Amino acid sequence: MQRLTLRWWLAVACALLALGASAAHAALFEDDEARRAILEMRQRIDQLQQGSQRSGDDSAQLRRSLLDLQAQIESLRGDLADLRGQNEKLRRDVTDLQQRQKDVAKSVDDRLRKFEPETVQVDGREFKAEPAEKNDYEAALAVFRTGKFADAATAFQGFVGKYPQSGYLPSARFWLGNAQYATRAYQAAIDNFKALLASAPDHARAPEAALSIANCQVELKDTKGARKTLEDLIRVYPQSEAATAAKERLSRLK
């Protein structure tokens, strides 16, 4: 629109100049008003040309500004893409860290469980036992079951000394006494069986322990002591299988 207006004014100016020139040539510039009109028209044309030049400069500046703005937008897009990539990496890192924390926590829990007491049942009794305590008892019993009685006696003796307050203690003394009996350590066996009866007379192994004391006394040629032990067994534990066996033994003692 601006270019169209400028061309129109230029055309008009040229026509007026031509007209003015013709009139001036004919009248020898005697018409002052015509000269003033021409001067005004020339000033107007100069102003239009200057405005057109300024408009062109403004357009160029605007184009440069737009190009700069576009470059900044592209740069921001690149920065945004980088930030998105960093954010995704951070999200993955956080996920990995959380998983490692869970793994560490599980590992710690598993290790703690290895040291936490657990409920066990042995010979009709239920009690709490440390994992190491349970392992030592079961290891000693496993040796006894292989028939290595001397090694079993050593293992159970070590258990009794290491865990004097253990819930396994009556059972450990029972098996220790049997291992000692098997190795002919009769008096040591009697001492352990008596210790069982003194500390846990209601233990499931107590009647058997009493019968084993009598057997050890027989091996030691202590017939009188064996008879007394068997009679006490029948009296204290009359419903036990050991009491039935004790009656048979009494009938054979002389």
Side-chain angles (χ1 to χ4, degrees), residues 5-22:
T5 303
L6 179 59
R7 289 177 180 176
W8 184 81
W9 278 108
L10 289 174
V12 172
C14 291
L16 290 174
L17 285 174
L19 180 60
S22 177

Side-chain angles (χ1 to χ4, degrees), residues 8 20 24-25 30 32 44 63 86 88 90 93 115 117 124 133 135 150 164 192 213-214 243 253:
W8 184 81
H25 184 72
E30 292 179 355
D32 293 336
R44 178 61 179 165
R63 284 195 296 273
Q86 293 174 8
E88 183 63 27
L90 287 173
D93 291 344
F115 297 97
E133 177 185 356
N135 291 338
N192 274 296
I213 291 174
L253 285 179

